[in-house]
Amino acid sequence: MNKHIQIVEDDGDIRFIVEYILEDANYVVESFENATTFINRERVEDVDLIILDVMLPDGNGIDLCRNLKLSEKTVNIPVIIMSAHAGSQSVLEEACADDFINKPFDLDNFLTRVKKILN
């Protein structure tokens, strides 16, 4: 069974590229353009990885990640934070994320880091 990844990214172009790369690598991808649609998603538990942008129009990925790590249902789901603005170490500590990817990112490096977290 293929791994299920959820993405929260407000930039349509970045969301499209990330979806394409992950689907091409045989992952099942579900994407959300803002925090509200992600929070109200139907599938909460059977997810293998969540990728969050920091700056969203109606919230931020740091708060979303912290809430995921505090919830019994989602505490064990790895989270990757992506941002063009935040410093990696501070985000990892503040959000309790499993990894941080700076934007813009190398596509091969992005996929390598996703695979590393999922294995």
Side-chain angles (χ1 to χ4, degrees):
M1 187 167 167
N2 293 348
K3 302 277 186 172
H4 185 113
I5 301 173
Q6 292 181 334
I7 303 164
V8 184
E9 171 60 62
D10 62 318
D11 183 302
D13 293 334
I14 294 173
R15 193 172 57 250
F16 174 80
I17 290 168
V18 170
E19 282 180 41
Y20 181 82
I21 292 166
L22 294 173
E23 287 174 349
D24 191 55
N26 294 315
Y27 294 110
V28 176
V29 180
E30 186 178 7
S31 63
F32 308 90
E33 63 184 327
N34 57 50
T36 303
T37 56
F38 175 73
I39 291 167
N40 294 322
R41 71 198 182 282
E42 290 182 27
R43 186 178 201 154
V44 176
E45 295 175 36
D46 294 328
V47 176
D48 299 293
L49 173 64
I50 298 172
I51 301 172
L52 302 171
D53 184 18
V54 170
M55 297 184 72
L56 299 166
D58 59 346
N60 73 65
I62 293 171
D63 291 339
L64 287 174
C65 184
R66 203 175 312 115
N67 291 336
L68 290 165
K69 294 301 184 176
L70 291 173
S71 170
E72 251 182 62
K73 292 181 180 180
T74 56
V75 66
N76 294 318
I77 300 172
V79 178
I80 296 175
I81 298 273
M82 297 189 307
S83 179
H85 307 287
S88 62
Q89 195 58 40
S90 64
V91 169
L92 285 172
E93 291 170 8
E94 188 178 349
C96 303
D98 297 277
D99 199 0
F100 178 88
I101 296 176
N102 281 308
K103 290 181 191 175
F105 50 84
D106 176 79
L107 300 179
D108 291 328
N109 181 50
F110 172 83
L111 192 56
T112 297
R113 290 172 76 176
V114 166
K115 288 178 181 179
K116 180 181 174 188
I117 289 218
L118 290 174
N119 291 329

